[in-house]
Amino acid sequence: MQKITIAVDGYSSCGKSTTAKKVAARLGYSYIDTGAMYRAVTLYFHQHLVTLTNEKEVAKALDNIQIEFRRSLNDGRNETFLNGLNVEDEIRKLYIANQVSEVSAIAEVRHAMVAQQRKMGKKKGVVMDGRDIGTVVFPDAELKIFMTADPIIRANRRQIELNERGDLVDIEEIIENIKKRDLIDTTRKESPLRKADDAIDIDTSYMTLDEQVEMVCILADEALSKAIRK
Ligand code: DC
């Protein structure tokens, strides 16, 4: 059966990963959270005191990093493993969010991650979410989505998510983090966050999760039919 590649890019906390995960489950596709990969690299750099400006240290660290996704036996959710260790909860903490934009702006880090992402998605049948999937990782993806949402709504969503994980963080601190990440993500030299020319905009500010999933699934159906006709 023919399958397509679905790229979901956009700002943080717009509902990209929750939507992408559900769309993948509905279509029987695999789901890859590329933000988790950059977060895992950030955790490794943090733990090993890697100096971000030292190219040799960065290259050596990247050689020692192995990232995989495994399905949890408890609830079936995808979990991130760094060198064989489950780091899913740790990489979601605010101290990682505060450092990840600097780490993901490093060219060597991006090259290593993009190479892995291309390998993971080469058979198609994948929903990949991130910042540069439609522009750099899979510029030929049959369906590209670009998600946006009002920054205050994004901060509220992020706070609920962190609260659910037991991380009680002030809304002001979250807004600061979102602003800082948006700025670094959109202005970095290496593959900045931008909408691909052929991506479809979805503003999720006033949409429910079900509506987002439904919309992407309809677009995926159309993109698949188009790919079959080609
Ligand atoms: O999606 P997220 O918030 O978990 O991503 C964490 C950070 O990783 C985000 O601030 C930018 C970076 N990132 C990136 O540069 N490229 C990607 N494809 C995915 C994430």
Side-chain angles (χ1 to χ4, degrees), residues 12 16 33-36 38-39 92 100-101 104 110 129-133 181 185 188:
S12 54
K16 289 190 312 289
D33 174 357
T34 63
Y38 290 98
R39 285 170 182 266
R92 305 293 164 189
V100 66
S101 280
S104 59
R110 301 209 69 81
D129 90 63
R131 304 292 188 287
D132 58 343
I133 312 304
R181 281 211 282 160
D185 293 350
R188 67 179 175 224

Side-chain angles (χ1 to χ4, degrees), residues 71-121:
R71 200 173 285 274
S72 154
L73 295 176
N74 291 332
D75 53 14
R77 73 175 178 147
N78 249 5
E79 295 184 320
T80 314
F81 282 72
L82 170 63
N83 294 336
L85 220 87
N86 186 340
V87 293
E88 184 56 36
D89 289 335
E90 200 60 27
I91 61 169
R92 305 293 164 189
K93 295 191 174 159
L94 198 62
Y95 79 95
I96 294 293
N98 278 332
Q99 300 170 48
V100 66
S101 280
E102 271 102 354
V103 172
S104 59
I106 301 171
E108 293 72 25
V109 171
R110 301 209 69 81
H111 297 162
M113 293 304 110
V114 169
Q116 280 200 33
Q117 289 153 13
R118 287 189 178 142
K119 253 192 225 162
M120 290 171 169

Side-chain angles (χ1 to χ4, degrees), residues 20-166:
K21 218 177 286 175
K22 287 197 177 264
V23 169
R26 277 255 293 260
L27 302 177
Y29 281 19
S30 52
Y31 163 66
I32 293 162
D33 174 357
T34 63
M37 298 171 75
Y38 290 98
R39 285 170 182 266
V41 172
T42 304
L43 176 62
Y44 184 93
F45 281 16
H46 177 87
Q47 285 176 334
H48 293 81
L49 306 174
V50 174
T51 313
L52 303 187
T53 47
N54 184 325
E55 277 178 30
K56 271 196 190 145
E57 269 187 44
V58 167
K60 191 171 156 226
L62 285 169
D63 278 346
N64 290 324
I65 291 177
Q66 219 224 327
I67 299 167
E68 318 161 64
F69 295 106
R70 295 187 205 160
R71 200 173 285 274
S72 154
L73 295 176
N74 291 332
D75 53 14
R77 73 175 178 147
N78 249 5
E79 295 184 320
T80 314
F81 282 72
L82 170 63
N83 294 336
L85 220 87
N86 186 340
V87 293
E88 184 56 36
D89 289 335
E90 200 60 27
I91 61 169
R92 305 293 164 189
K93 295 191 174 159
L94 198 62
Y95 79 95
I96 294 293
N98 278 332
Q99 300 170 48
V100 66
S101 280
E102 271 102 354
V103 172
S104 59
I106 301 171
E108 293 72 25
V109 171
R110 301 209 69 81
H111 297 162
M113 293 304 110
V114 169
Q116 280 200 33
Q117 289 153 13
R118 287 189 178 142
K119 253 192 225 162
M120 290 171 169
K122 77 169 186 281
K123 289 191 185 142
K124 294 192 181 273
V126 67
V127 185
M128 199 173 273
D129 90 63
R131 304 292 188 287
D132 58 343
I133 312 304
T135 50
V136 175
V137 184
F138 290 117
D140 296 330
E142 290 84 352
L143 176 61
K144 298 180 188 177
I145 304 290
F146 193 80
M147 281 195 175
T148 56
D150 181 285
I152 303 296
I153 294 176
R154 288 164 58 202
N156 283 329
R157 287 179 184 162
R158 186 87 193 103
Q159 191 178 39
I160 294 170
E161 210 179 284
L162 286 166
N163 279 354
E164 280 171 1
R165 291 174 191 275

Side-chain angles (χ1 to χ4, degrees), residues 134-203:
T135 50
V136 175
V137 184
F138 290 117
D140 296 330
E142 290 84 352
L143 176 61
K144 298 180 188 177
I145 304 290
F146 193 80
M147 281 195 175
T148 56
D150 181 285
I152 303 296
I153 294 176
R154 288 164 58 202
N156 283 329
R157 287 179 184 162
R158 186 87 193 103
Q159 191 178 39
I160 294 170
E161 210 179 284
L162 286 166
N163 279 354
E164 280 171 1
R165 291 174 191 275
D167 234 354
L168 300 178
V169 187
D170 199 69
I171 193 81
E172 296 302 328
E173 198 181 335
I174 297 173
I175 293 173
E176 268 319 296
N177 172 260
I178 283 183
K179 277 193 195 157
K180 181 182 141 204
R181 281 211 282 160
D182 283 359
L183 183 72
I184 301 180
D185 293 350
T186 51
T187 56
R188 67 179 175 224
K189 243 173 54 201
E190 189 74 22
S191 49
L193 167 64
R194 68 168 183 85
K195 177 180 173 287
D197 294 336
D198 50 349
I200 298 168
D201 263 309
I202 301 183
D203 182 339

